[in-house]
Amino acid sequence: GQNIDQPTEMTATEGAIVQINCTYQTSGFNGLFWYQQHAGEAPTFLSYNVLDGLEEKGRFSSFLSRSKGYSYLLLKELQMKDSASYLCAVSGSYNTDKLIFGTGTRLQVFP
Amino acid sequence: DADVTQTPRNRITKTGKRIMLECSQTKGHDRMYWYRQDPGLGLRLIYYSFDVKDINKGEISDGYSVSRQAQAKFSLSLESAIPNQTALYFCATSSRDRGFYEQYFGPGTRLTVT
């Protein structure tokens, strides 16, 4: 079967660092995505990893280990506006590019 | 102007009614998708289309149908709405502009079936 697991909720303090983990078991793998979704709004693209290692983009970084079926999203210098849900999604096939989404991690940032 | 638009943004309908949700895009992308989002279940794919003549079922297509009227338009229909179709519906497009298929989501349609 296909399964993507991530924590349901996390909390953190403004200015801190938080790591959101995602583990996956899929029949194929053609990359892992992280999306940010503010309440009631559309998901927006944050990152894409297809090779092992860390991809850094400003305050956000994403890591992938294909052998472990594991990824994390690292958010540094947290701001109040980072309060949102973070969706992990796996592309299982090159030809179809269909995404399988996890249920999302709701992050609340407190002052 | 938004690149991916959805109409209506909110809709309340009664059980048994037929309803159509519309999606339009100005991004020029061939690939379009319909998802629904339910609390605790995440985004689930209903239908997807790689071009006007190519339409495919996703993981939860029962009770839904789609029409790809043009490259820019992809509509989702609920033939006979039922309460468990109450959800937030998203349309998305995708392209390989950056070397991988990145999906761009519309603002969503909140549908309530009473």
Side-chain angles (χ1 to χ4, degrees):
Chain A
Q2 318 229 74
N3 195 47
I4 298 178
D5 286 318
Q6 49 182 132
T8 303
E9 289 194 9
M10 298 182 71
T11 60
T13 305
E14 199 173 12
I17 299 172
V18 71
Q19 178 175 311
I20 302 174
N21 295 324
C22 172
T23 57
Y24 64 90
Q25 288 179 305
T26 57
S27 56
F29 182 82
N30 190 46
L32 186 143
F33 294 79
W34 285 97
Y35 280 82
Q36 181 190 58
Q37 185 180 24
H38 286 98
E41 297 183 9
T44 55
F45 171 83
L46 286 178
S47 68
Y48 171 75
N49 295 68
V50 67
L51 299 176
D52 291 351
L54 188 68
E55 295 276 346
E56 296 186 80
K57 191 191 298 184
R59 294 189 299 114
F60 293 4
S61 302
S62 56
F63 171 83
L64 175 67
S65 168
R66 289 172 296 171
S67 63
K68 293 189 169 91
Y70 168 69
S71 173
Y72 67 72
L73 181 68
L74 192 72
L75 293 75
K76 303 176 187 174
E77 301 169 14
L78 280 172
Q79 302 175 10
M80 298 296 290
K81 67 179 182 180
D82 297 329
S83 292
S85 288
Y86 292 86
L87 314 180
C88 175
V90 172
S91 174
S93 166
Y94 177 84
N95 287 333
T96 66
D97 79 302
K98 291 189 299 181
L99 293 181
I100 305 160
F101 282 86
T103 55
T105 298
R106 184 176 169 225
L107 173 67
Q108 288 185 282
V109 180
F110 293 100
Chain B
D1 289 340
D3 295 318
V4 184
T5 58
Q6 293 183 234
T7 55
R9 295 293 313 280
N10 288 281
R11 180 72 182 266
I12 300 173
T13 191
K14 293 186 185 298
T15 297
K17 293 290 188 183
R18 184 179 189 274
I19 183 169
M20 179 182 287
L21 309 183
E22 300 191 2
C23 176
S24 294
Q25 53 118 345
T26 58
K27 301 184 81 66
H29 294 166
D30 287 327
R31 300 186 174 204
M32 297 186 74
Y33 310 79
W34 275 105
Y35 292 92
R36 65 177 280 176
Q37 188 174 39
D38 300 272
L41 292 178
L43 281 160
R44 292 181 293 165
L45 184 63
I46 306 172
Y47 270 95
Y48 62 102
S49 170
F50 286 169
D51 63 41
V52 175
K53 295 180 181 177
D54 180 26
I55 293 177
N56 305 278
K57 293 182 178 180
E59 61 180 303
I60 53 161
S61 60
D62 287 349
Y64 301 95
S65 62
V66 291
S67 172
R68 185 83 184 265
Q69 302 95 321
Q71 185 205 38
K73 295 185 184 295
F74 192 35
S75 300
L76 177 72
S77 293
L78 287 67
E79 297 303 324
S80 179
I82 56 176
N84 78 0
Q85 291 177 313
T86 293
L88 185 56
Y89 289 83
F90 287 103
C91 172
T93 71
S94 74
S95 77
R96 275 185 65 86
D97 291 345
R98 291 205 263 183
F100 55 87
Y101 280 106
E102 176 183 343
Q103 295 197 10
Y104 300 84
F105 288 83
T109 294
R110 187 168 295 281
L111 176 66
T112 303
V113 183
T114 61

